[in-house]
Amino acid sequence: MDLPSAFYVPDGDGLVATALTIGPWDPGLQHAGPPAALLVREAERASGIPGGQTVRLAFDVLGPVPVGPVQVAARVLRPGRRIELVEATLTAGGRAAVRLTAWRMRCGGASSVSPAQRHPVAPEDAGPTEFGVFSEPVAYHRALEWRLASGSLAEPGPAATWTRPRCTLVEGEPMTPLQHLVAMTDAASGISAELDWQRATFANVDLVVALFRPPAGEWLAMDATTTLGPAGVGQCSADLYDAEGRIGRSIASLFVEPR
């Protein structure tokens, strides 16, 4: 299958989304993973701590993001030589659609390091799998190679997957492991869905990723569980891994309603 080489293509002072950003709910709207990764790129470019570590990323989805032109901008809300808070915003059609606040820290020495908690299934031992819920043949699900470590993408319940990129974030630039991690992690509620995609919408309105060390390497994993409340609210949490072991955790709030 002939795929675009990137999620986004530069266009003047903005970018244009390719078909690889298309989400599962509407072919005219982006999956939230690629915009989130684009905001990570912008936040780190605005950082005043060279070589620092991004330790917490909090995304708020303010509205749907059309598949088309987008603009991103960032500013340092709380500057510092050791710790800083950066804000980045993605706009589409003249309105803010996704916002990120990211805490970054200067890397320093540690007196002791906890042993890495490895995922029980290595990427080379996980089986190839694919999402079956996307209406378009070329969409977000084609941007990553998916390998199932546990659970099922076709059945409800917790699941774990390894992924590696099949594309770049912005045409002409390599995708960093942190950008890959965020683009993948927004799909945690998809791999661990508790409801039928054809009968219910369970889109996340936010995503928080907390990391105690930066991701490394081409293969990253998420081990996700979705829990549903009694009144149209859900929550998805995931442990996050690279090939060396666990690196952090994510959590997202889900808005649930019949389709």
Side-chain angles (χ1 to χ4, degrees):
M1 183 177 294
D2 189 19
L3 299 175
S5 62
F7 282 123
Y8 298 97
V9 177
D11 182 37
D13 60 354
L15 303 114
V16 176
T18 70
L20 289 177
T21 66
I22 294 174
W25 307 116
D26 185 317
L29 300 178
Q30 295 187 44
H31 189 283
L38 200 59
L39 289 177
V40 169
R41 170 182 176 265
E42 194 68 14
E44 294 200 316
R45 284 154 62 106
S47 171
I49 304 179
Q53 179 180 337
T54 303
V55 298
R56 193 220 63 181
L57 305 107
F59 301 90
D60 292 303
V61 182
L62 306 176
V65 184
V67 179
V70 298
Q71 294 79 40
V72 285
R75 59 179 179 145
V76 178
L77 293 179
R78 190 273 194 195
R81 292 182 296 111
R82 295 179 297 174
I83 302 171
E84 67 179 0
L85 180 65
V86 184
E87 178 187 62
T89 305
L90 180 143
T91 60
R95 63 167 181 81
V98 187
R99 180 181 60 201
L100 162 68
T101 54
W103 281 106
R104 288 177 49 77
M105 297 182 182
R106 187 177 70 191
C107 296
S111 58
S112 63
V113 178
S114 300
Q117 175 191 346
R118 292 181 178 272
H119 193 276
V121 179
E124 57 268 22
D125 297 325
T129 189
E130 289 191 359
F131 274 105
V133 298
F134 286 78
S135 62
E136 304 302 303
V138 178
Y140 164 82
H141 64 304
R142 302 290 185 192
L144 304 174
E145 179 182 349
W146 301 84
R147 291 191 181 179
L148 189 67
S150 64
S152 170
L153 300 193
E155 300 293 335
T161 61
W162 288 94
T163 72
R164 67 176 172 183
R166 288 174 171 161
C167 69
T168 63
L169 178 61
V170 175
E171 188 176 64
E173 299 180 14
M175 185 186 298
T176 69
L178 183 58
Q179 294 165 5
H180 167 202
L181 180 76
V182 171
M184 172 195 77
T185 303
D186 193 78
S189 60
I191 70 166
S192 63
E194 289 287 348
L195 297 171
D196 186 334
W197 290 78
Q198 303 301 320
R199 294 188 171 192
T201 297
F202 42 93
N204 55 303
V205 299
D206 64 5
L207 174 67
V208 178
V209 178
L211 303 171
F212 56 84
R213 69 172 177 86
E218 64 172 350
W219 284 105
L220 301 176
M222 52 183 170
D223 193 343
T225 300
T226 293
T227 303
L228 300 178
V233 176
Q235 186 180 85
C236 177
S237 60
D239 284 313
L240 306 175
Y241 298 83
D242 62 14
E244 295 301 314
R246 197 170 77 89
I247 58 176
R249 191 166 176 80
S250 71
I251 192 164
S253 305
L254 310 180
F255 175 73
V256 183
E257 67 175 354
R259 296 197 74 173

